[in-house]
Amino acid sequence: MTTFRKGLALTLGITMTALAVAACGGGGGSSSDIPAAAGPDEHVELTLATFTEFGYEALIPEYERLHPNIKITHRKTGQGGPYAQDMMTKLAAGAGLADVQAVEEGHLSDILSKSSKFYDLTQIGPADASPDRWLSWKYDAGKDKNGKLIGYGTDIGPDAMCYRKDLLQQAGLPTDDASVKTMFATWDSYFAAGAQYAQRTGGKAWFDSAAQNFNAMVNQLPVGYLDKDDKLTVESNQGIKDAWAKVTDAVGKGESAKLTAFSNEWNSGFRQSAFATKVCPAWMLGVVKEQAGPENAGKWAVTDAFPGGGGNWGGSYLTVPTQSKHPREAAALAAWLTAPEQQLKAFQAKGTFPSQVKALESPELLNQTDAYFGGAKIGELFVAQAKKVAKPQYKGPNDGQIQENVTAPALQAVEQGKSPADGWQQLVDGAKKLAR
């Protein structure tokens, strides 16, 4: 697994363009608005827009061989942040989007709030792209408030925990599987172990970043920063308050390495043993291996004991904007790319963990191991973690920006010496400005 795309997309702050101009093609709300499908002999050119690594390079020519009348142009952007900014600009302008447009989970809320500018895939998609293809929570997260499905799910980021076995051993903490699972069972037990680690090692850090842990904790809550009426919940949401108290308390006990995720210093921290544990959605394993380097192979381990149960961080969707001139063909391509068979191939190519039920039942996935993490059965492990996610948390408009542009800086301020109370007020004030 070598993709950085989920983390990059979630850690790059973006000021979204105001979506004042209606997109071409109407709302895609009735079948009479949808252009008819092309005939089997009619040449159709489709565009597919993705960012960083989706694992589709070999799949595109395969689809073209299966459909000789279809020609696909793949627009691939290197980083998630610039891709999202470009997507929102073209959505506002009413032109320029691809026939099949990938959307990252961190920006899905902004797209769902403009769902009239995307086709309902239940109307234009093939019959085999039925809800039971996907994990229920993944499928449901692609719907707007009225139940309109605007995206077919691609990959997911079920949460696990990575840790350095050698560093835990040096601190006198247990590393056997049963003890590790007990230690990581809840956030209270996780932070308690971190306090022990910091004390026994003379102040070495237990985790990399307060914001990384806080993000995982908030994602586990029934309600996040905004409720389904798009009202800000921060001041009244006891779950967010509790998460803040636990994380900032851990910072006060010296458990944080105080690193900004995906910065150069954070990247170097893996190689320099700057922290002992790391929140690890499936895509993070590739990041760990890339940054920690071959000299740390076998030192890192991964466990399915994630504090508080399960959680998901990351994943994407394929949408069909109403700007498309060939929406039925675009939906057919999106459905094919998100079929279990193709998502397994994408996983083998780039490590994008599939969200399709049959793919998750595949021996090919379940038997996947990773020598870097001591031969861990990562396929079986992350399948189990994916099944622990009960339902998607509603993400209202600007949800991602609150996390990235408000919460993360507030936690970084606490890591640099601001009091937890003042940091909390910084979060509240910043969230109110974005939620107006």
Side-chain angles (χ1 to χ4, degrees):
M1 299 185 188
T2 58
T3 175
F4 287 74
R5 68 189 179 88
K6 310 304 182 300
L8 283 167
L10 290 175
T11 56
L12 288 168
I14 296 172
T15 302
M16 294 297 182
T17 307
L19 303 177
V21 183
C24 297
S30 71
S31 57
S32 61
D33 297 331
I34 305 169
D41 298 323
E42 183 179 347
H43 180 71
V44 174
E45 294 189 3
L46 295 177
T47 51
L48 166 67
T50 65
F51 48 94
T52 62
E53 304 297 345
F54 273 67
Y56 290 167
E57 283 72 18
L59 295 177
I60 292 170
E62 181 181 348
Y63 190 83
E64 290 176 332
R65 287 194 298 271
L66 294 171
H67 303 82
N69 66 317
I70 302 289
K71 174 64 178 176
I72 301 166
T73 299
H74 187 192
R75 304 176 187 168
K76 182 179 176 181
T77 303
Q79 294 184 343
Y83 172 89
Q85 189 170 30
D86 178 72
M87 175 178 65
M88 300 304 287
T89 299
K90 289 174 178 176
L91 185 61
L97 291 177
D99 295 289
V100 178
Q101 189 83 31
V103 177
E104 204 274 335
E105 179 201 50
H107 304 292
L108 184 62
S109 63
D110 298 289
I111 295 299
L112 288 172
S113 68
K114 303 296 178 183
S115 61
S116 64
K117 295 171 174 54
F118 294 83
Y119 280 104
D120 186 340
L121 295 177
T122 63
Q123 291 190 16
I124 66 171
D128 62 350
S130 56
D132 57 3
R133 170 181 287 185
W134 292 270
L135 292 168
S136 59
W137 59 265
K138 178 69 174 180
Y139 183 84
D140 290 343
K143 299 177 182 177
D144 72 1
K145 291 181 182 180
N146 298 317
K148 176 181 177 178
L149 182 72
I150 71 158
Y152 288 143
T154 59
D155 59 321
I156 51 176
D159 285 326
M161 187 67 75
C162 292
Y163 62 99
R164 282 279 298 269
K165 293 183 71 172
D166 59 328
L167 297 183
L168 267 63
Q169 287 173 340
Q170 292 169 21
L173 292 175
T175 59
D176 63 281
D177 190 58
S179 296
V180 167
K181 287 186 176 183
T182 299
M183 190 162 52
F184 294 163
T186 67
W187 288 108
D188 287 337
S189 63
Y190 171 74
F191 289 128
Q196 280 188 309
Y197 179 84
Q199 186 177 39
R200 293 180 182 183
T201 58
K204 291 184 178 179
W206 179 237
F207 55 83
D208 56 333
S209 157
Q212 293 274 287
N213 285 335
F214 189 79
N215 185 47
M217 297 167 80
V218 171
N219 279 342
Q220 290 178 318
L221 299 174
V223 178
Y225 295 114
L226 298 139
D227 62 21
K228 289 188 176 181
D229 294 323
D230 294 332
K231 293 181 180 178
L232 190 66
T233 71
V234 173
E235 288 185 288
S236 60
N237 192 323
Q238 191 60 46
I240 293 179
K241 291 179 180 179
D242 290 344
W244 178 270
K246 291 176 182 180
V247 170
T248 55
D249 180 66
V251 170
K253 292 177 179 177
E255 297 182 39
S256 175
K258 305 176 182 180
L259 298 171
T260 300
F262 302 96
S263 66
N264 290 334
E265 294 78 11
W266 182 85
N267 290 338
S268 299
F270 285 95
R271 201 173 294 263
Q272 297 169 356
S273 305
F275 44 88
T277 67
K278 176 76 194 80
V279 170
C280 268
W283 51 266
M284 185 65 76
L285 297 191
V287 179
V288 174
K289 288 191 286 187
E290 179 76 15
Q291 300 304 331
E295 64 268 32
N296 286 308
K299 295 179 181 179
W300 280 97
V302 58
T303 178
D304 60 358
F306 191 74
N312 184 74
W313 181 359
S316 296
Y317 290 81
L318 297 183
T319 69
V320 178
T322 54
Q323 295 177 20
S324 174
K325 295 179 180 179
H326 302 285
R328 296 185 187 276
E329 289 80 5
L333 171 60
W336 186 85
L337 287 170
T338 58
E341 299 81 5
Q342 280 64 256
Q343 286 301 124
L344 281 171
K345 293 175 184 177
F347 170 73
Q348 291 296 330
K350 296 296 180 181
T352 51
F353 204 80
S355 62
Q356 295 73 21
V357 174
K358 287 185 178 179
L360 297 177
E361 295 172 349
S362 167
E364 182 181 357
L365 181 65
L366 290 169
N367 294 330
Q368 185 81 19
T369 61
D370 195 318
Y372 192 92
F373 292 88
K377 296 181 178 179
I378 58 169
E380 182 179 298
L381 185 154
F382 282 109
V383 166
Q385 291 304 96
K387 292 180 178 178
K388 291 179 182 178
V389 182
K391 60 181 180 179
Q393 182 190 88
Y394 174 72
K395 303 284 188 181
N398 294 325
D399 184 281
Q401 292 188 71
I402 291 172
Q403 170 60 33
E404 196 54 43
N405 300 335
V406 176
T407 302
L411 284 165
Q412 288 161 7
V414 173
E415 288 175 323
Q416 298 305 317
K418 179 176 279 193
S419 72
D422 288 344
W424 174 256
Q425 194 59 50
Q426 179 179 332
L427 189 164
V428 171
D429 293 344
K432 284 181 177 178
K433 289 179 182 178
L434 274 179
R436 287 174 184 170

